[in-house]
Amino acid sequence: MTFTTRFAPSPTGHLHIGHAFSAWTAWQAASEKGGRFILRLEDIDTTRCKPEFDQVIFDDLIWLGLDWELPVRRQSEHFDDYARVLERLIEKGVVYRCFKTRAEILEDIARAPHGAGEVYRGPAEPMGADEEAERVAQGESYAWRLSLDRCREVLGERFGAMRFLDEIKGEQAADPDPLGDVILARKDVGTSYHIAVVHDDALQGMTHIIRGEDLFELTPLHVLLQTLLDLPTPVYRHHRLLTDAKGQRFAKRNLAATLKSMRESGMSAEEVRAKWGF
Ligand code: GLU
């Protein structure tokens, strides 16, 4: 299988030096292996993502010296694909509608037995079909949550056997339990990062996922989705995150750290990489 990896930014602002490190790491790995490097725009959040950032992202990455396959996949053009994934999960009976408000969820978490963790673990009793149909008919908003209890039932022994390889940390058990019952879609959006990323990584033939270690804790959930959907689990590499002089991670609002400001100041990509040590 051809080594295939990607950089998958969300165009909610300008890329910063942390993104450059991530993109460079993935691109360089693909180059070393004579593999494929894919750029994907993760723009399902249509309120926060702005098309004007797309071109800046392309300009930044070209300046950095990267190249990628065309056409670039924009997730906002594929909501139908993600709706089909959600449909499969509904058919499998592993997701449920959750009508609770944020405040109600927080109350439930606070009431949960000690040690249940700071996450939502589902309703004490499943909602009756009549009540659910009534609330849907009333047009109430809801989220689709993944039921870890149902996943355990559906997958049986496969649930506890899920694993993934992290190239830095080594072989890992993929235990989604610390995340609780996560939201996989909202009524109005119809998908989430989790569904879209897992679907697209498989569709685009990713053999290696190279991304920041801030996403490490979500990988067990992605492996669970891959298992439920009969998709292959790629190899992962969760790389270190660059930090500023105060040890803080870079944020898109930190304008001095954006690639756009660096390239407009006349710095070369080599100087930037030398300054940040990659
Ligand atoms: N779109 C995600 C982000 O910008 C990255 C997703 C990933 O690499 O899995 O944080």
Side-chain angles (χ1 to χ4, degrees):
M1 249 189 314
T2 310
F3 182 103
T4 307
T5 193
R6 62 8 175 226
F7 176 56
S10 296
T12 55
H14 294 153
L15 298 184
H16 54 65
I17 187 68
H19 293 114
F21 177 57
S22 202
W24 179 264
T25 305
W27 177 83
Q28 204 190 28
S31 306
E32 273 170 12
K33 296 277 196 296
R36 302 170 59 205
F37 175 72
I38 286 171
L39 174 65
R40 183 171 72 224
L41 294 175
E42 300 209 323
D43 57 350
I44 54 171
D45 184 348
T46 48
T47 55
R48 290 176 61 229
C49 294
K50 302 267 180 291
E52 61 259 36
F53 292 127
D54 296 3
Q55 189 58 49
V56 184
I57 289 174
F58 300 151
D59 293 345
D60 286 343
L61 297 179
I62 289 169
W63 168 78
L64 202 58
L66 310 197
D67 52 2
W68 53 87
E69 294 184 6
L70 295 173
V72 170
R73 183 173 171 91
R74 282 187 170 78
Q75 291 188 326
S76 59
E77 293 169 1
H78 300 281
F79 280 108
D80 289 356
D81 286 8
Y82 312 133
R84 278 194 290 275
V85 173
L86 178 62
E87 206 50 52
R88 282 187 63 196
L89 296 171
I90 294 169
E91 279 163 19
K92 277 185 175 286
V94 292
V95 290
Y96 61 92
R97 284 195 183 89
C98 174
F99 294 87
K100 293 183 193 244
T101 61
R102 212 181 160 76
E104 287 168 335
I105 292 288
L106 291 175
E107 277 170 29
D108 282 7
I109 292 173
R111 261 202 308 268
H114 188 65
E118 295 292 295
V119 294
Y120 183 60
R121 298 202 171 270
E125 292 288 329
M127 182 177 291
D130 289 349
E131 183 187 345
E132 182 173 349
E134 173 66 23
R135 295 177 79 162
V136 172
Q138 295 293 326
E140 268 191 57
S141 67
Y142 56 82
W144 286 102
R145 286 185 183 267
L146 184 65
S147 163
L148 287 186
D149 285 345
R150 288 288 300 140
C151 290
R152 268 189 206 92
E153 282 166 31
V154 166
L155 293 174
E157 284 180 2
R158 291 170 69 203
F159 187 91
M162 293 187 301
R163 313 192 75 72
F164 66 95
L165 176 65
D166 182 290
E167 286 186 327
I168 296 173
K169 292 190 163 81
E171 183 85 14
Q172 302 287 312
D175 178 11
D177 203 58
L179 297 167
D181 286 4
V182 299
I183 292 177
L184 285 191
R186 291 185 192 277
K187 184 184 158 199
D188 50 343
V189 184
T191 189
S192 60
Y193 157 62
H194 307 300
I195 285 185
V197 80
V198 165
H199 174 273
D200 284 0
D201 283 339
L203 180 81
Q204 297 187 294
M206 297 306 154
T207 61
H208 289 70
I209 305 297
I210 298 172
R211 60 185 182 187
E213 64 187 10
D214 52 331
L215 295 171
F216 179 78
E217 62 183 26
L218 294 178
T219 299
L221 170 64
H222 297 172
V223 175
L224 171 57
L225 290 173
Q226 288 152 4
T227 309
L228 289 166
L229 297 165
D230 298 315
L231 300 173
T233 292
V235 172
Y236 286 84
R237 188 196 308 177
H238 295 95
H239 60 70
R240 70 188 168 93
L241 299 179
L242 293 191
T243 51
D244 65 15
K246 292 189 194 131
Q248 302 286 317
R249 281 167 51 184
F250 294 101
K252 284 176 178 162
R253 62 183 176 279
N254 179 351
L255 296 182
T258 67
L259 299 188
K260 184 168 186 285
S261 69
M262 291 181 197
R263 74 182 149 82
E264 286 176 355
S265 77
M267 277 175 97
S268 72
E270 289 70 29
E271 284 164 346
V272 168
R273 286 197 290 110
K275 177 168 173 197
W276 298 98
F278 63 93

